[in-house]
Every structure is written in structure tokens, then in C-alpha cells.
Amino acid sequence: MHNAMTRTARSRLLLVTAGLATSALALAGCAGGGGDAGASEEKTTIRFLYATGDDTWNGVVDQVVTAFNEQSDTTEVELDPLPAGSDYATALKTVDATGNWPAVVDMRDTLTYVNAGKLAPVPEEVTALLEPDAFAAAEDGNVYTVPSSALNGELGMNIVYNKTYFEEHDLEVPATYDDFIDLLEEIKANGDVPLATAAAEVWPSDQLWKPLAAPVFAEYSDEGGFWNAAAAGDASVADLKAPLEELKMIMDDYVLEGWQSTADAQTTTLLVNEQAVMATSSAGLGRLMDINKVDPEFDAGLFIIPDEDGNLNVLKNSVIGDTAGGLAISSQAAEDEDEYASAVEFLEYFYSVEAADLMEANGWISPNILKSDEVTRNDTIPGAEDFFALLENPNLVWYENSPTLSTFSSVNTFFRQSRIEMQDGQTTIDETIAKVQAELDAQVAAAG
């Protein structure tokens, strides 16, 4: 059991009339004497805001929260899912504007909200459950986010494909970028659609873009990433023209029509129904699990789009900074002793072996906990061997791209939306570059 100390629910009247005196009552259920504490004990209810759109993550969150609630005597976690199709950065701004922060947040744009004082430090009783390199302290020495998955970078940003089709048409996983283009052309020559991708939500637009841009991004890894160099004037959005041209060409010639209104989760159905031979993904093992649920007989595999030299350039996730994702506790929750204790209790369970086993069973690679050797790994998902083989691939090249610009989330959202307009033919590549550069310059100037 991972239960926090029993807490007595606070009365609304006491909150008004007694002020800080209610803090003394918060732990009254643990006191030895004075009244029938057990008769008034209730669970503290907290909310967990999380990003939806990835069916595997949705299922994992539901399973873990359900299991936690069943075993906790003190806390009830309510799911607060962000509707699919919503932009997470915009949603967080709405949460902040309304002052209605949940206790636990599936965080994006971390640095922005740390600087704004919206997040509370994650205590040592939580971080002590993790591998030391799975988290990092901010400049003030506090830890504000802890991982929701294993630190495999963006290894999940890949292409999922129909292995049976490949075998029937004597096709191979591409070893170079030119091989990838040849593969697209061969499938098209067969009279079939090579690739399905999605843009009904803005974030899946990264799934094809990032692998294409990875060779350029990787060049700036030692400088902390391309966007830091661009913000400093040592690089420009124009440096991304070549991958933008590649993106436009692939979208025009090889992608299934209707991508503008396709949700990320729908690509699973498009693949299984053979409307396309391949599909973009950022779900890693989760997408393979989704495919297996839809059609257990479907033989799926995955690969990463290589660069011209055959390297598999993969972004290594930052554990701190504005691009760092993970779970956080809101400072609003920290103002309430019971809510904060319940948030900590939930995170302690999230990093338990029991929770890790649940995640793995549902196709999620669990976070890097200290007791990882006790976790039961899921190697039963068809195609999982392809994913794990990527970690051992000699051509795998990790690179960093961790923007420090406090308003980078706004730049990134603008860039995604501008790319989608370009892909759709509403603007030219040069117009897109100019717009995004102007937005970046404005954000850098505003940040001082």
C-alpha cells in the first residue's frame, strides 16, 4: 500500500472562520484522542489533468488511477482529460487564466510555468523513487517535473508499417533517406497509398517533420539545440528550408488525402484497413498495442526515417527546461495541505513497481524507477522487437534540442500551425520561413 497519513476532511465553515487553524485539523485522524475522528474521515479528492489523443496513454492513465483509488484510504484522484484535438499549450493558458489548476498536471511548457510560480516543488519522497538521471533541478534547486515514461527520447517518433505488405512486394526497411523516398515511390507505383499522417490536432504534425529536420537539428546539439542558436542569431529559420521542401514534397506526392482532418489515433484504423501501407506515429510501443487491439492478426513493424548517411537521429528529451514534459504538482494544490499530501501520495504510487507493471502490460514503457529490475517488461506486443532493437542500433545518434526561450511554446505552436498551412498549399515555403522568423524575433525581443 502507498497510503498517506489519514486526513480529516475540512469543513467549509472552518475554512472561513478558523483560517490557518484548519491545518491543525488536517491530520486529526492520526491523533490519539478527542472525539470520533473515524466517523468524519473522508478521502481528499484531487484532479489529474492529462493530455489525450494517444490511446495507449489514455488507457494507462485510467488503469493507474483506478488501481490507485482502489488501494488508497485517503485520496480519490479524478481524471481531468484534455479533449482530443485541443492544443495543450493553449489549454494550460486557459487553466491558468481561470485559476482552476488541478493538483497533478501532465506538464508542457514547464519553464514558463515554473518562472510564473504556478508549480510546486516535487518532494524528495517522490524523486527518491527514480533513477538520478530521470529528473533534474531548476535553477532554484527545486525539481518541478518527474517523468511519465522512460527516458528513451523521441524514439517513439517513427513510421509504423504493414510487414505483410512489405513481404508480399519484396520491400525492405530503408537504410538511408534516399531509400525511404524510393520506398514511397515503389508503393505508389503499386497503386497504393504509401503514408497516412494526421493534423486534426497540431502536435501530430511533428511526427513527419521532426525526422526530416533531425539532421539539421542534430548539427546544433552541442549548442543546446537549433532553437537556442536561432534565438541567439547563430542560426535562422531559413536553415530549415531543405527539410521543409522535403516535407512539402512528401505531403503532396505520397500522403493519404484527408490528413488535415485526421486525428492521430485514426491512423491506426487507416493502417489496419489497408488505406495506407505506413503511418506516422509518436506513440512507440503504444501504437503497436493499439494496432494489435484493433486487429490481432495484423503484422506491424516500425522504423525511424534515416538521414542521408543512414544515421537515426533521435532527440534526447530534456528533463528540465521548457520542452521537458512530465508530471508536476501545481502551486495552487500546494496551498492546501491535504491536496498537496494527496498529490505526493499519488506520485509515490505512480513510481511504484505495481504501477510500472500496469503501464508495461498496457503497452507503455514505464518511467526509470530505482526498482526497474523488479518490473515485468512487456515483450508480447507484435512488432515490439523492432522498437527495442532501435535502442541497440549502431546508427542511433542522440542529439539535444532544448530551447531556453521562456516563450518557446508560443513559437513552436505558431511554427506547427504555419507548417500545416504550408503543407496545405495556403502559403509558400518562403512565406512560412519569413513568418516563423518574424514570430521568433518578436518572442526573443519580448523576453529581453
Side-chain angles (χ1 to χ4, degrees), residues 163-208:
K163 280 189 174 181
T164 301
Y165 184 97
F166 271 45
E167 292 170 0
E168 290 175 349
H169 294 83
D170 198 27
L171 302 175
E172 295 183 357
V173 169
T176 66
Y177 178 73
D178 288 341
D179 289 344
F180 176 63
I181 299 301
D182 289 342
L183 174 63
L184 295 172
E185 188 59 37
E186 286 186 66
I187 295 172
K188 184 177 179 180
N190 291 338
D192 297 308
V193 176
L195 186 64
T197 190
E201 308 125 299
V202 295
W203 63 267
S205 65
D206 283 349
Q207 294 172 354
L208 182 57

Side-chain angles (χ1 to χ4, degrees), residues 347-370:
L347 290 181
E348 287 179 301
Y349 179 80
F350 195 89
Y351 300 114
S352 68
V353 173
E354 179 181 340
D357 284 345
L358 272 176
M359 295 179 199
E360 297 280 343
N362 283 275
W364 194 255
I365 302 183
S366 58
N368 305 66
I369 62 174
L370 282 176

Side-chain angles (χ1 to χ4, degrees), residues 198-409:
E201 308 125 299
V202 295
W203 63 267
S205 65
D206 283 349
Q207 294 172 354
L208 182 57
W209 161 249
K210 281 192 173 181
L212 298 179
V216 177
F217 288 156
E219 292 176 10
Y220 294 87
S221 182
D222 292 341
E223 301 175 46
F226 172 82
W227 292 108
N228 286 336
D234 298 325
S236 71
V237 179
D239 295 326
L240 300 175
K241 184 171 184 176
L244 284 170
E245 290 173 337
E246 293 166 0
L247 176 66
K248 177 64 173 169
M249 179 270 293
I250 292 173
M251 296 299 299
D252 288 348
D253 295 346
Y254 303 111
V255 169
L256 181 68
E257 293 182 5
W259 55 268
Q260 302 95 327
S261 58
T262 300
D264 182 52
Q266 289 179 293
T267 58
T268 294
T269 303
L270 297 174
L271 186 67
V272 170
N273 289 343
E274 299 184 356
Q275 292 175 260
V277 177
M278 301 181 291
T280 57
S281 173
S282 56
L285 281 179
R287 184 52 47 85
L288 296 174
M289 175 73 87
D290 295 341
I291 291 170
N292 188 245
K293 289 177 181 176
V294 174
D295 183 358
E297 302 302 318
F298 191 90
D299 192 8
L302 56 80
F303 65 84
I304 291 175
I305 300 173
D307 68 12
E308 294 177 351
D309 299 320
N311 294 318
L312 306 179
N313 298 291
V314 176
L315 178 66
K316 187 174 184 179
N317 292 342
S318 170
V319 294
I320 192 63
D322 214 41
T323 58
L327 305 184
I329 301 174
S330 70
S331 55
Q332 182 173 314
E335 294 174 1
D336 185 294
E337 189 175 323
D338 291 347
E339 282 197 26
Y340 183 73
S342 287
V344 171
E345 180 191 354
F346 174 67
L347 290 181
E348 287 179 301
Y349 179 80
F350 195 89
Y351 300 114
S352 68
V353 173
E354 179 181 340
D357 284 345
L358 272 176
M359 295 179 199
E360 297 280 343
N362 283 275
W364 194 255
I365 302 183
S366 58
N368 305 66
I369 62 174
L370 282 176
K371 294 183 178 181
S372 59
D373 57 336
E374 299 178 25
V375 176
T376 303
R377 301 297 176 184
N378 189 347
D379 58 2
T380 64
I381 306 170
E385 67 276 7
D386 291 352
F387 181 87
F388 291 116
L390 291 173
L391 288 168
E392 307 299 328
N393 193 305
N395 295 321
L396 179 63
V397 178
W398 297 106
Y399 72 90
E400 293 189 15
N401 188 29
S402 304
T404 56
L405 180 65
S406 62
T407 56
F408 175 72
S409 61

Side-chain angles (χ1 to χ4, degrees), residues 1 9 27 52 99 104-105 108 138-139 247 262 287 311 423 434:
M1 302 284 280
L27 300 177
T52 61
V104 180
V105 191
R108 306 290 188 276
E139 289 185 0
L247 176 66
T262 300
R287 184 52 47 85
N311 294 318
Q423 292 167 204

Side-chain angles (χ1 to χ4, degrees), residues 81-211:
L82 181 71
S86 302
D87 175 59
Y88 203 83
T90 302
L92 282 184
K93 290 177 182 178
T94 301
V95 167
D96 189 37
T98 59
N100 189 29
W101 279 86
V104 180
V105 191
D106 178 15
M107 199 64 209
R108 306 290 188 276
D109 310 326
T110 303
L111 186 60
T112 299
Y113 291 100
V114 169
N115 292 339
K118 303 299 182 178
L119 302 182
V122 177
E124 186 177 357
E125 52 257 54
V126 174
T127 59
L129 301 173
L130 294 162
E131 293 283 356
D133 60 355
F135 62 92
E139 289 185 0
D140 63 3
N142 292 314
V143 175
Y144 290 99
T145 58
V146 277
S148 58
S149 184
L151 298 176
N152 289 329
E154 292 189 345
L155 201 68
M157 195 80 74
N158 47 48
I159 301 293
V160 182
Y161 71 98
N162 185 333
K163 280 189 174 181
T164 301
Y165 184 97
F166 271 45
E167 292 170 0
E168 290 175 349
H169 294 83
D170 198 27
L171 302 175
E172 295 183 357
V173 169
T176 66
Y177 178 73
D178 288 341
D179 289 344
F180 176 63
I181 299 301
D182 289 342
L183 174 63
L184 295 172
E185 188 59 37
E186 286 186 66
I187 295 172
K188 184 177 179 180
N190 291 338
D192 297 308
V193 176
L195 186 64
T197 190
E201 308 125 299
V202 295
W203 63 267
S205 65
D206 283 349
Q207 294 172 354
L208 182 57
W209 161 249
K210 281 192 173 181

Side-chain angles (χ1 to χ4, degrees), residues 42-90:
E42 295 178 4
K43 286 188 174 185
T44 298
T45 299
I46 61 171
R47 290 162 40 233
F48 175 17
L49 177 71
Y50 68 99
T52 61
D54 183 300
D55 283 349
T56 300
W57 174 236
N58 297 344
V60 164
V61 169
D62 183 67
Q63 290 273 338
V64 172
V65 167
T66 298
F68 169 79
N69 287 340
E70 288 175 350
Q71 58 84 65
S72 177
D73 296 326
T74 59
T75 299
E76 182 78 15
V77 175
E78 290 184 348
L79 293 177
D80 193 358
L82 181 71
S86 302
D87 175 59
Y88 203 83
T90 302

